[in-house]
Amino acid sequence: MAITSANQLELLQTAEAVAREKMIDPDLVIQAMEESLARAAKSRYGAEMDIRVAIDRKTGRATFTRVRTVVEDDAVENYQAELTVDQAKQYLADPQVGDEIVDEVPPVDMGRIAAQSAKQVILQKVREAERDRQFEEFKDRKGTIINGIVKREEYGNIIVDIGRGEGILRRNEKIGRESYRPNDRIRAYIKDVRREARGPQIFLSRTDPQFMAELFKMEVPEIYDGIIEIKAVARDPGSRAKIAVISYDGSIDPVGACVGMRGSRVQAVVNELQGEKIDIIPWNEDQATFLVNALQPAEISKVVIDEEAGKIEVVVPDMQQSLAIGRRGQNVRLASQLTGLDIDIMTEADESARRQAEFAERTQLFMDTLDVDEMIAQLLVAEGFTSLEEVAYVEMDELLAIDGFDEGTAEELQARARDCIEEMNRKALEHAKELGVEDSLVAFEGLTPQMVEALAEDGVLTLEDFATCADWELAGGWTTVNGERVKDEGVLEKFDVSLEEAQHLVMTARILLGWVDPADLEAEAEDAPGEGEAEEEAEA
C-alpha cells in the first residue's frame, strides 16, 4: 500500500470511523497510524535510523522525515541517528549539542508484511486508548449500583456486560446459590475498579453490605435527600441483615420511612436480595441503647460495656438466650458487626453465679490475709472493697460506716492490711533481686516492688530495659488479627496500669536516661492542637 494522494483522505476517514466506533479521541488513532507508518519506513530504510511520520490533520498527507541529533564527540553510539558538532557544520551554521537535523525522505510502499504490522500497531494503540477511557469512566462509579446483562459464566464467575465495558461477579460475591443465564438482566454493586495489564478490571458484588445500603437509597427518597442517614449495615447474604438508620428531621420516623406504605419499600429491597430478611433498627449515640435495639427481638436485662477492651456483656433472661444468640449465632453476630463490639451473651443465672464466685473469692482473700472470720470478710466485700490496698489506705470514716465496725476494729484491720502488704512487697523485692534486677529499676518512682518482680520475671531487669518497652507491652491492649480482636497481655496489666500511665512511666525513664529532652516534649505539646481544635480537624 503506497501513501498517495488517492488514499490520503481515506486515512482520516478511517481514523474518524475507528474513533467513533471505540468512542475515543480521533487524534489517538492518527498517532497510532503515524507510529505504524514509521515502523514500516524503518524496515525499509534501516532500523537504526530515526524515521518519523507526521500526518496532516486536514489533508491526510503523510510526511516521512529522518532525524539526526547533534551529540558530544565521544557520545556517538548510533551513526545513523546521531552526529558530532563538526559533522553537523555542513548542515547548520552554528550547531549546538541537542540540535536536530531533519531531512524529508521519500514515502515507502508498504508490502503485505509491513501492512499487517502497521495494522497490529494501530489495533494495539486503539485497544490501549479504549482501556484508558474505560478505566476513567468507571473509576468514579465505584461504590454505586449498575445494571447489566449476563454474557457468560466462567468457572462459577459471571461476566456482565455493563455498557462500555465488562464486569466480573465472582462466585463468592453472589447471594446464596444464585444462577444466571446469558442475556439475564442483573443489578450489582461496583466494589472495585483496578487498572491491570490486561485492561481495567471491574469487580461487582451482590453480597457487600453497601449493596443493600445503595438499594435503600434508591427506594427511599429521604435517604437520597440526606434527611435519613444509614449509619451501619450488617449482612448474612441471602439469609438476614440489619441496618441502622437515623433521621435528622424530628417529624420523620426513620424506620417507618424505610419500611414504606404496607412495607412496599423494604419489600422491593428484599425481592432484589432473594428474600433476605431485613431488620431496620433506629440508631442511637448511646452504645447500650443501640445494642439493645440491635439485638431485637430478644429482651435485654442489663448491658455492661468495657470500652478499653472493646467488649460488651449483655445479660438476658434465661428464656431469651437462644433468641438473642439466634440460629447458628446469626443474631448476635450481626449485632456485633453493626456495633463494632465483641458481644458476650450471658443469662441472668450465669451472671448471678459469676457474681457469687467473685464474692466468694474476695471473701476468701480477706479471710486469708487479714486473719478475720467469714462474716467480717463478707461485710468488707459487700461494701465494695476489692483489694488489700483499699482496706489499708482508705479513709477511716469509710470503714466506720460499716455496721458493727468501731474505731478499734477499723484500726486493727488497717494495721493488718499494711503489715501484709509490706511482707508481700519484701518477698517480691527479694525474688526480683534473685532474678538479677538492678537498683536503678527498684528505685524508679512509680513502680511498686510487686511491679518490679513482674517486670523481672518478664526479663526487664534494668532501667534501660524498661525505657525500651512500649506502653501496650506494659498495660496490655487489643490487636485485630484476620478481622478478630485478640488480647495482648500486659506485664503490669494485673496492677490496673492504664495505657496513659504506662506511657508516662516509660517517657519518664527515657528522660532520666537522657534519651529524650523534656524541652522537646513541651514544644510538641504546645504545637499539638487543643481538644476543641482536634475535634474541628476531625470533623473537617
Side-chain angles (χ1 to χ4, degrees), residues 55-70:
I55 297 177
D56 191 291
R57 300 309 193 255
K58 294 182 179 179
T59 64
R61 181 177 182 274
T63 303
F64 290 72
T65 55
R66 175 191 180 187
V67 179
R68 287 176 290 176
T69 306
V70 179

Side-chain angles (χ1 to χ4, degrees), residues 302-305 311-315 342-344 346 354:
K302 187 168 68 173
V303 174
V304 181
I305 298 176
K311 294 186 70 174
I312 195 162
E313 287 183 355
V314 176
V315 181
D342 289 337
I343 302 172
D344 291 335
M346 298 178 64
R354 189 183 69 174

